[in-house]
Amino acid sequence: MSSTPLGGEREKLVSKLPASLRQALKIRAAQLQTDVQDAVTAGIQSWRAAGPDLPTINTAGAESFGTNLPEGLYDEFKTDCRERGVSYIQGLAQAVALWLTDSQPPGQPRVTRRIVVCNQKGGVGKTAVAGGVAQALAEDPASVTNATDEDIAAPADVETALEAAERATQAGLRVLLVDFDPQGHLSHQLGLKAIPAGQESLITHMLNREQTKHELIDLTVVVAGDRFGGRLRILPAAFDAFLLDSGLTVFRGPRHAALERALATVEEHVDVIVIDSPPSLGLAMDTALYYARQRDDEKPGNSGLLVPVEAEDTSAQAYGMLIQQIDSLSRDFDIHIEQLGLVVNKFDSRRGYIATSSRDKWIALGNPPVLAVVVDLKEQREAVRLQKPLLDYAPESAQAHQMRKIARGMRTS
């Protein structure tokens, strides 16, 4: 494949582009003080170099769009589109999305995403969702093959287009799983033991950081699996996490920020932190909720809460209690804690009207959205028994694809 230079004569490109992408293109070009034609040229060059395995972008409602390209590039672009079996409109949309991904406005700080998986009701599958979503974020996108049409639904706007392009050009994100539940189920499911009481752990770094000898990142463990390429790590549970609430009551300092104080030291090493939180409404949960708040320099939708629920009435009651805790903490500290979405987990339609009507009520909430309805299947239980990550044990299972769908659904808005 040849590479057309940016200089020299130009020729007209006439195609169509979704309004959302066209608007984002103009805004980003203005931010970077570059011409739209140069931005599109760079995008097409990146598109040609990226290869054919790019996610499909929803081009419904695309409108006429024209710009100028270096002489010869338009013909090369059209030839590539024919060889890849995509329309010119689709190819251009993918190219623009790639350029938007590659270009960042000046002065925009990098903020590590913080996703807290929580519900004070036990047994709703927080651990399975936390582990599965973290695996999906760290997974090499090139290794995903047999997704269904529903699983790979085309992105509907510019932000999902950006994420689609990111998934195509990145080899997965650097993800840290934090087992913040004193029961340690997440650690056990991945073949690890909880850190014994008295040894350095997340808890000692929260309550007695000045007395610790190691960096917190050194306490993390790489999760095995070729699909993750060493990008997925876990901070194991600590046995003395059972005593965290009582320790926080006598903590000298802002106890609501104790978790953030500890995890701040690892943020530079990772792109995303996913926390499997305890099934409680105590002080430890306060620290997790506070950590998930939207920071002053952070875009909405970057960080927040992911809430697994079940399709039954007691789960709705527990969710109401969580909302009260979120509202109370938000008022006390004048912060915004965003709910990124709900996951209706372990769904079984054979349970009849209670299950189906409860599922429909969750979906009808609208905000926060239901990101996925995860059916109760055997692969997750088998992965737990074998102490393997679900996406490594059964990467093409329906549950694995649903975890990827959840990860895609938590988009930056």
Side-chain angles (χ1 to χ4, degrees):
M1 180 175 63
S2 61
S3 178
T4 301
L6 295 182
E9 297 296 325
R10 288 184 175 267
E11 58 187 357
K12 188 73 172 180
L13 173 148
V14 178
S15 184
K16 292 184 178 181
L17 195 65
S20 56
L21 275 177
R22 188 171 62 249
Q23 181 183 16
L25 172 65
K26 291 180 178 179
I27 292 173
R28 183 67 57 80
Q31 289 174 328
L32 299 177
Q33 297 183 339
T34 189
D35 291 334
V36 168
Q37 64 182 13
D38 292 335
V40 175
T41 296
I44 290 177
Q45 297 282 30
S46 295
W47 178 86
R48 298 185 69 212
D53 298 323
L54 292 172
T56 300
I57 291 177
N58 186 356
T59 58
E63 299 175 355
S64 296
F65 174 81
T67 190
N68 294 305
L69 297 178
E71 187 175 9
L73 181 58
Y74 192 19
D75 288 338
E76 293 171 355
F77 169 67
K78 290 188 290 186
T79 298
D80 287 344
C81 285
R82 288 193 295 269
E83 291 178 351
R84 298 183 189 187
V86 299
S87 67
Y88 303 154
I89 298 173
Q90 179 62 218
L92 180 60
Q94 292 175 337
V96 170
L98 276 174
W99 181 80
L100 288 168
T101 299
D102 293 339
S103 63
Q104 292 294 331
Q108 181 170 310
R110 174 190 175 279
V111 180
T112 298
R113 294 192 73 184
R114 302 161 322 282
I115 300 168
V116 174
V117 183
C118 59
N119 189 328
Q120 70 92 24
K121 183 179 184 296
V124 298
K126 291 189 301 297
T127 297
V129 171
V133 168
Q135 294 162 36
L137 291 167
E139 183 181 45
D140 184 349
S143 64
V144 182
T145 56
N146 296 329
T148 65
D149 291 340
E150 180 184 1
D151 293 327
I152 58 173
D157 55 31
V158 63
E159 293 297 344
T160 45
L162 290 177
E163 290 202 343
E166 287 173 354
R167 290 196 304 277
T169 57
Q170 294 178 354
L173 300 173
R174 299 172 300 164
V175 183
L176 174 63
L177 260 172
V178 177
D179 192 347
F180 197 43
D181 186 345
Q183 299 174 93
H185 293 317
L186 178 60
S187 301
H188 175 74
Q189 289 180 12
L190 295 176
L192 300 171
K193 294 182 179 180
I195 297 174
Q199 293 188 16
E200 278 194 38
S201 66
L202 174 60
I203 307 308
T204 59
H205 278 255
M206 288 177 66
L207 299 179
N208 302 293
R209 180 178 166 187
E210 293 75 12
Q211 300 177 21
T212 58
K213 298 179 180 179
H214 302 89
E215 293 294 329
L216 193 58
I217 190 66
D218 295 332
L219 303 182
T220 65
V221 179
V222 173
V223 176
D226 293 339
R227 306 177 74 86
F228 314 127
R231 294 177 297 273
L232 180 61
R233 306 184 73 90
I234 180 173
L235 181 56
F239 183 81
D240 49 9
F242 286 106
L243 305 175
L244 180 56
D245 275 9
S246 60
L248 287 169
T249 60
V250 296
F251 179 66
R252 293 184 178 180
R255 65 190 184 194
H256 59 279
L259 180 61
E260 179 167 346
R261 179 171 174 260
L263 292 178
T265 63
V266 302
E267 289 185 7
E268 65 178 291
H269 300 285
V270 296
D271 302 304
V272 188
I273 296 177
V274 180
I275 299 175
D276 183 22
S277 60
S280 72
L281 298 176
L283 295 177
M285 192 62 220
D286 276 351
T287 68
L289 295 176
Y290 184 82
Y291 185 57
R293 78 192 185 285
Q294 181 183 331
R295 296 176 180 175
D296 293 339
D297 54 355
E298 189 170 20
K299 295 169 62 177
N302 193 58
S303 299
L305 311 181
L306 179 63
V307 185
V309 297
E310 287 186 290
E312 45 92 56
D313 294 340
T314 59
S315 193
Q317 296 167 5
Y319 178 65
M321 297 172 68
L322 176 64
I323 295 301
Q324 291 177 8
Q325 185 176 14
I326 294 169
D327 291 344
S328 176
L329 201 67
S330 299
R331 289 192 304 270
D332 289 346
F333 296 102
D334 191 23
I335 57 177
H336 175 61
I337 303 171
E338 184 168 357
Q339 295 183 64
L340 302 175
L342 305 175
V343 177
V344 180
N345 198 29
K346 301 194 296 184
F347 178 72
D348 187 348
S349 61
R350 294 173 300 179
R351 295 175 183 170
Y353 175 74
I354 294 296
T356 57
S357 62
S358 296
R359 174 203 58 193
D360 294 343
K361 287 180 180 179
W362 287 120
I363 294 173
L365 281 178
N367 187 25
V370 170
L371 301 179
V373 177
V374 182
V375 177
D376 188 12
L377 298 174
K378 64 182 177 65
E379 285 82 3
Q380 175 64 41
R381 293 189 293 274
E382 291 173 349
V384 170
R385 174 68 65 85
L386 296 173
Q387 296 185 319
K388 290 185 175 182
L390 171 66
L391 272 66
D392 186 54
Y393 169 71
E396 302 304 336
S397 65
Q399 288 170 318
H401 284 308
Q402 288 297 84
M403 295 303 163
R404 298 182 184 108
K405 182 178 180 182
I406 297 166
R408 292 196 301 270
M410 294 185 297
R411 63 180 179 83
T412 301
S413 57

